[in-house]
Amino acid sequence: MMKVTQASTPAVQPQGCTNLKLRQLMRRVAQHYDAEVGKSGLKGTQYSLLSHVVLLGPIRPVDLAAQMKVTASTLSRNLQPLVAAGWLEVTAGDDARSRLVLATTAGREKRVEAQRRWETAQLQINAVLGPANVLALHALIDDALQRLSGADGTTADAE
């Protein structure tokens, strides 16, 4: 008969709020990317949305929301400024009730400009944190997302 033992408790227990620490890191990283990508006239979230549409479009809003792991209302709210700027267009779909989101020529050009800024921001983060730390951070985040996915009955990436 096998003897089952409980896992030993680590000598040092985590202190502080993990949620707070992650939000602090996310705000700081977002500020960094927004400062650089902002030079193109886009916020980081707008660059991400524009990139998804350029790569996946024309695409139905429901499919775009699923790909980006955001709610339909979040997507709708985030589309508005890009449509108003003339970078994205929402057109009729295959039937009277469906719509498609696509990038305009100006939107594709804006993405190229913003992508250069994003690459600069990424290189700066890699330099400041160090490539090994960035790789370790990515691995830790991926592992945490997998472990937390569905743990509380919600989708880990839903916004």
Side-chain angles (χ1 to χ4, degrees):
M1 178 182 245
M2 285 182 60
K3 184 178 178 184
V4 177
T5 59
Q6 289 185 348
S8 63
T9 346
V12 178
Q13 292 291 320
Q15 298 293 313
C17 178
T18 302
N19 186 45
L20 174 64
K21 289 290 191 191
L22 287 171
R23 286 180 181 269
Q24 288 172 335
L25 177 61
M26 186 56 221
R27 275 193 301 272
R28 185 61 197 106
V29 170
Q31 288 169 353
H32 174 77
Y33 278 87
D34 282 345
E36 189 60 39
V37 173
K39 294 174 184 175
S40 71
L42 292 173
K43 294 179 183 176
T45 54
Q46 292 173 326
Y47 166 68
S48 178
L49 176 54
L50 184 57
S51 290
H52 273 83
V53 174
V54 166
L55 296 172
L56 302 172
I59 185 169
R60 296 180 322 147
V62 65
D63 297 329
L64 180 57
Q67 283 289 321
M68 295 188 71
K69 296 179 175 63
V70 298
T71 64
S73 63
T74 296
L75 177 66
S76 178
R77 203 172 38 251
N78 291 344
L79 280 173
Q80 291 172 1
L82 298 177
V83 169
W87 298 323
L88 292 180
E89 190 176 346
V90 180
T91 63
D94 295 335
D95 61 51
R97 295 184 311 158
S98 68
R99 299 277 180 249
L100 292 173
V101 181
L102 58 117
T104 64
T105 300
R108 290 178 183 282
E109 291 169 358
K110 181 56 69 175
R111 181 187 179 260
V112 168
E113 176 189 351
Q115 187 173 24
R116 285 193 302 268
R117 297 294 186 174
W118 176 88
E119 288 170 355
T120 298
Q122 183 68 41
L123 290 172
Q124 290 169 345
I125 285 285
N126 291 349
V128 169
L129 297 180
N133 284 336
V134 171
L135 289 171
L137 180 60
H138 287 196
L140 182 59
I141 290 168
D142 290 344
D143 181 62
L145 285 170
Q146 183 177 2
R147 289 172 183 252
L148 293 171
S149 183
D152 60 359
T154 63
T155 304
D157 291 331
E159 193 173 291

mmCIF file of all heavy atoms in Angstrom, residues 41-42 46 79-88 104 106-107 110:
data_model
loop_
_atom_site.group_PDB
_atom_site.id
_atom_site.type_symbol
_atom_site.label_atom_id
_atom_site.label_comp_id
_atom_site.label_asym_id
_atom_site.label_seq_id
_atom_site.Cartn_x
_atom_site.Cartn_y
_atom_site.Cartn_z
ATOM 1 N N GLY A 41 -0.146 57.764 -33.571
ATOM 2 C CA GLY A 41 -1.532 58.218 -33.466
ATOM 3 C C GLY A 41 -2.486 57.148 -32.968
ATOM 4 O O GLY A 41 -3.689 57.369 -32.912
ATOM 5 N N LEU A 42 -1.961 55.987 -32.604
ATOM 6 C CA LEU A 42 -2.794 54.888 -32.109
ATOM 7 C C LEU A 42 -2.438 54.549 -30.668
ATOM 8 O O LEU A 42 -1.277 54.668 -30.269
ATOM 9 C CB LEU A 42 -2.568 53.617 -32.942
ATOM 10 C CG LEU A 42 -3.038 53.606 -34.387
ATOM 11 C CD1 LEU A 42 -2.573 52.328 -35.075
ATOM 12 C CD2 LEU A 42 -4.540 53.727 -34.465
ATOM 13 N N GLN A 46 -5.634 49.932 -29.857
ATOM 14 C CA GLN A 46 -6.084 50.216 -31.217
ATOM 15 C C GLN A 46 -5.168 49.561 -32.244
ATOM 16 O O GLN A 46 -5.627 49.040 -33.259
ATOM 17 C CB GLN A 46 -6.149 51.727 -31.456
ATOM 18 C CG GLN A 46 -7.229 52.409 -30.655
ATOM 19 C CD GLN A 46 -7.166 53.926 -30.768
ATOM 20 O OE1 GLN A 46 -6.089 54.500 -30.879
ATOM 21 N NE2 GLN A 46 -8.329 54.562 -30.738
ATOM 22 N N LEU A 79 -14.008 49.597 -31.895
ATOM 23 C CA LEU A 79 -14.041 49.804 -33.344
ATOM 24 C C LEU A 79 -14.362 51.253 -33.710
ATOM 25 O O LEU A 79 -13.846 51.781 -34.698
ATOM 26 C CB LEU A 79 -15.102 48.903 -33.990
ATOM 27 C CG LEU A 79 -14.744 47.452 -34.229
ATOM 28 C CD1 LEU A 79 -15.974 46.692 -34.714
ATOM 29 C CD2 LEU A 79 -13.613 47.315 -35.225
ATOM 30 N N GLN A 80 -15.215 51.895 -32.923
ATOM 31 C CA GLN A 80 -15.740 53.222 -33.273
ATOM 32 C C GLN A 80 -14.670 54.252 -33.636
ATOM 33 O O GLN A 80 -14.764 54.881 -34.692
ATOM 34 C CB GLN A 80 -16.651 53.734 -32.165
ATOM 35 C CG GLN A 80 -17.936 52.956 -32.056
ATOM 36 C CD GLN A 80 -18.760 53.324 -30.838
ATOM 37 O OE1 GLN A 80 -18.400 54.192 -30.059
ATOM 38 N NE2 GLN A 80 -19.885 52.645 -30.671
ATOM 39 N N PRO A 81 -13.630 54.460 -32.820
ATOM 40 C CA PRO A 81 -12.642 55.478 -33.193
ATOM 41 C C PRO A 81 -11.850 55.122 -34.454
ATOM 42 O O PRO A 81 -11.462 56.011 -35.218
ATOM 43 C CB PRO A 81 -11.721 55.590 -31.978
ATOM 44 C CG PRO A 81 -12.112 54.542 -31.031
ATOM 45 C CD PRO A 81 -13.386 53.927 -31.488
ATOM 46 N N LEU A 82 -11.624 53.838 -34.693
ATOM 47 C CA LEU A 82 -10.876 53.428 -35.881
ATOM 48 C C LEU A 82 -11.716 53.590 -37.142
ATOM 49 O O LEU A 82 -11.194 53.938 -38.203
ATOM 50 C CB LEU A 82 -10.389 51.986 -35.723
ATOM 51 C CG LEU A 82 -9.420 51.753 -34.563
ATOM 52 C CD1 LEU A 82 -9.062 50.278 -34.442
ATOM 53 C CD2 LEU A 82 -8.176 52.588 -34.704
ATOM 54 N N VAL A 83 -13.007 53.363 -37.025
ATOM 55 C CA VAL A 83 -13.915 53.597 -38.148
ATOM 56 C C VAL A 83 -14.011 55.096 -38.404
ATOM 57 O O VAL A 83 -13.916 55.554 -39.553
ATOM 58 C CB VAL A 83 -15.305 52.969 -37.873
ATOM 59 C CG1 VAL A 83 -16.330 53.435 -38.904
ATOM 60 C CG2 VAL A 83 -15.206 51.442 -37.846
ATOM 61 N N ALA A 84 -14.160 55.881 -37.325
ATOM 62 C CA ALA A 84 -14.268 57.338 -37.465
ATOM 63 C C ALA A 84 -13.016 57.941 -38.106
ATOM 64 O O ALA A 84 -13.108 58.909 -38.866
ATOM 65 C CB ALA A 84 -14.523 57.979 -36.097
ATOM 66 N N ALA A 85 -11.857 57.358 -37.837
ATOM 67 C CA ALA A 85 -10.599 57.854 -38.408
ATOM 68 C C ALA A 85 -10.405 57.396 -39.855
ATOM 69 O O ALA A 85 -9.489 57.857 -40.529
ATOM 70 C CB ALA A 85 -9.418 57.384 -37.557
ATOM 71 N N GLY A 86 -11.249 56.486 -40.316
ATOM 72 C CA GLY A 86 -11.135 56.001 -41.684
ATOM 73 C C GLY A 86 -10.151 54.860 -41.852
ATOM 74 O O GLY A 86 -9.765 54.537 -42.978
ATOM 75 N N TRP A 87 -9.736 54.233 -40.756
ATOM 76 C CA TRP A 87 -8.773 53.132 -40.818
ATOM 77 C C TRP A 87 -9.448 51.778 -40.935
ATOM 78 O O TRP A 87 -8.853 50.833 -41.436
ATOM 79 C CB TRP A 87 -7.833 53.168 -39.627
ATOM 80 C CG TRP A 87 -7.012 54.422 -39.576
ATOM 81 C CD1 TRP A 87 -6.475 55.091 -40.646
ATOM 82 C CD2 TRP A 87 -6.633 55.160 -38.419
ATOM 83 N NE1 TRP A 87 -5.787 56.196 -40.214
ATOM 84 C CE2 TRP A 87 -5.858 56.270 -38.842
ATOM 85 C CE3 TRP A 87 -6.867 55.008 -37.065
ATOM 86 C CZ2 TRP A 87 -5.329 57.196 -37.975
ATOM 87 C CZ3 TRP A 87 -6.331 55.933 -36.187
ATOM 88 C CH2 TRP A 87 -5.565 57.018 -36.642
ATOM 89 N N LEU A 88 -10.672 51.669 -40.417
ATOM 90 C CA LEU A 88 -11.461 50.447 -40.539
ATOM 91 C C LEU A 88 -12.808 50.810 -41.133
ATOM 92 O O LEU A 88 -13.266 51.950 -41.024
ATOM 93 C CB LEU A 88 -11.675 49.773 -39.176
ATOM 94 C CG LEU A 88 -10.460 49.171 -38.492
ATOM 95 C CD1 LEU A 88 -10.865 48.541 -37.164
ATOM 96 C CD2 LEU A 88 -9.775 48.141 -39.378
ATOM 97 N N THR A 104 -9.135 49.664 -44.297
ATOM 98 C CA THR A 104 -9.033 50.499 -45.494
ATOM 99 C C THR A 104 -7.563 50.593 -45.897
ATOM 100 O O THR A 104 -6.670 50.156 -45.150
ATOM 101 C CB THR A 104 -9.572 51.911 -45.211
ATOM 102 O OG1 THR A 104 -8.729 52.522 -44.223
ATOM 103 C CG2 THR A 104 -11.022 51.882 -44.728
ATOM 104 N N ALA A 106 -5.874 53.311 -45.957
ATOM 105 C CA ALA A 106 -5.266 54.176 -44.931
ATOM 106 C C ALA A 106 -4.997 53.385 -43.650
ATOM 107 O O ALA A 106 -3.991 53.603 -42.967
ATOM 108 C CB ALA A 106 -6.165 55.371 -44.645
ATOM 109 N N GLY A 107 -5.880 52.443 -43.315
ATOM 110 C CA GLY A 107 -5.699 51.607 -42.138
ATOM 111 C C GLY A 107 -4.506 50.685 -42.258
ATOM 112 O O GLY A 107 -3.744 50.485 -41.309
ATOM 113 N N LYS A 110 -1.488 52.835 -41.795
ATOM 114 C CA LYS A 110 -1.354 53.197 -40.378
ATOM 115 C C LYS A 110 -0.782 52.027 -39.590
ATOM 116 O O LYS A 110 0.062 52.205 -38.712
ATOM 117 C CB LYS A 110 -2.715 53.627 -39.817
ATOM 118 C CG LYS A 110 -2.702 54.050 -38.360
ATOM 119 C CD LYS A 110 -1.733 55.161 -38.044
ATOM 120 C CE LYS A 110 -2.129 56.470 -38.627
ATOM 121 N NZ LYS A 110 -1.212 57.564 -38.203
#
